[in-house]
Amino acid sequence: MTCIIIEDEIPAQKILQNFIGKIPSLELVNTYKAAIEANSFLNSNTVDVVFLDINLPDMSGLDFIKTVKNPPAVIMTTAYPEHAVSSFELQTIVDYLVKPFSFDRFLKAINKAKDRMEVVQPLEESKGEAIFLNVDKTMHKIVLDSILYIESERNYITLVTQTQKFSFIDSLKNWVEKLQGKQFVQVHKSYLINTELVDKIAGNTLFLGGNKIPIGRTYKSNLLKVLGI
């Protein structure tokens, strides 16, 4: 796995660099002291993991990662544990390391990042049906079985898989038609979901992959029918 460090404190940088060097499967590409420096890199390059400090000189790590399109897995590092709850609200964040942290705790975070990256791999190996998605001049292979849901907001679509999130200009209507006959059902004027990955339904809320999706009144009966409820 490739990774970068975004950390303004030199001692913290050295600890991360030392820990990364102990894991043969982890390759450190670069280290940055500020979010704005890393932004230029991430706009034209991809890595598997970002070690991201929350308190950075130009902007907070949490604010920064929200601006990155299709962000990689993020492991937050900070001396302030009170930020943990807000950190985990972002789907791309896989773990939260509170300084000072041990190598054992660091290794646990790496394993979480690996688990996230490998979720889709069994689907690809089984040659599941896939499509190619053109986002930011890059063609991304998306295995249909890995898609959790598709959300519409104004003229934009956000397609969320088990490991990634893509936002682009399109309409939900186009995706309803594109995925017709598959395991996808529209459950709200703004949501299309993968029925194979539904965890549970409580009232007018649907749960899948740790996400809460509202169920529209006019769509509920069809959803229950498709699910055989």
Side-chain angles (χ1 to χ4, degrees):
M1 294 193 302
T2 57
C3 65
I4 62 171
I5 296 170
I6 308 176
E7 167 65 69
D8 63 321
E9 297 179 359
I10 301 301
Q13 287 181 8
K14 290 183 176 180
I15 290 173
L16 284 168
Q17 290 166 352
N18 179 41
F19 285 176
I20 291 169
K22 293 181 178 181
I23 302 177
S25 62
L26 201 55
E27 176 189 353
L28 179 61
V29 176
N30 215 333
T31 299
Y32 301 94
K33 293 181 180 180
I36 195 66
E37 297 174 1
N39 184 61
S40 298
F41 172 84
L42 290 174
N43 278 340
S44 55
N45 300 273
T46 60
V47 291
D48 298 314
V49 182
V50 174
F51 295 95
L52 179 63
D53 187 18
I54 287 184
N55 294 317
L56 295 170
D58 46 1
M59 65 188 301
S60 78
L62 286 175
D63 288 338
F64 166 66
I65 204 61
K66 292 175 184 177
T67 70
V68 178
K69 291 185 177 181
N70 309 323
V74 175
I75 297 175
M76 303 299 301
T77 62
T78 185
Y80 302 94
E82 61 268 23
H83 293 299
V85 174
S86 57
S87 293
F88 283 117
E89 291 177 356
L90 300 177
Q91 188 181 26
T92 188
I93 296 176
V94 297
D95 208 349
Y96 186 99
L97 297 177
V98 179
K99 304 172 186 176
F101 47 86
S102 65
F103 178 72
D104 289 347
R105 182 64 185 85
F106 173 84
L107 186 58
K108 182 178 179 180
I110 294 301
N111 288 334
K112 285 185 178 181
K114 286 182 178 178
D115 288 344
R116 168 181 164 156
M117 291 173 58
E118 293 171 357
V119 166
V120 180
Q121 190 62 34
L123 298 172
E124 293 178 343
E125 290 176 351
S126 65
K127 298 182 180 179
E129 187 176 353
I131 58 174
F132 280 90
L133 190 63
N134 189 349
V135 179
D136 297 331
K137 299 180 181 179
T138 301
M139 298 299 291
H140 302 270
K141 182 181 179 181
I142 308 294
V143 178
L144 294 186
D145 289 348
S146 74
I147 298 174
L148 289 170
Y149 65 90
I150 300 172
E151 179 183 3
S152 171
E153 184 176 0
R154 295 181 182 176
N155 296 324
Y156 279 84
I157 285 292
T158 299
L159 187 151
V160 180
T161 74
Q162 292 165 312
T163 60
Q164 297 172 290
K165 180 184 292 186
F166 301 95
S167 294
F168 48 94
I169 296 175
D170 207 336
S171 71
L172 191 64
K173 180 181 178 181
N174 286 342
W175 282 88
V176 170
E177 294 174 353
K178 186 191 296 283
L179 298 175
Q180 187 174 9
K182 312 298 182 184
Q183 69 266 34
F184 296 89
V185 172
Q186 187 170 359
V187 298
H188 186 276
K189 66 179 182 179
S190 300
Y191 288 92
L192 180 69
I193 64 99
N194 185 343
T195 59
E196 297 292 331
L197 299 179
V198 173
D199 296 318
K200 62 181 179 179
I201 294 175
N204 291 321
T205 302
L206 181 148
F207 297 79
L208 75 168
N211 301 278
K212 295 181 180 180
I213 306 295
I215 302 172
R217 183 178 58 184
T218 59
Y219 299 92
K220 189 170 185 178
S221 60
N222 182 57
L223 170 64
L224 297 179
K225 179 181 178 181
V226 171
L227 293 175
I229 300 175

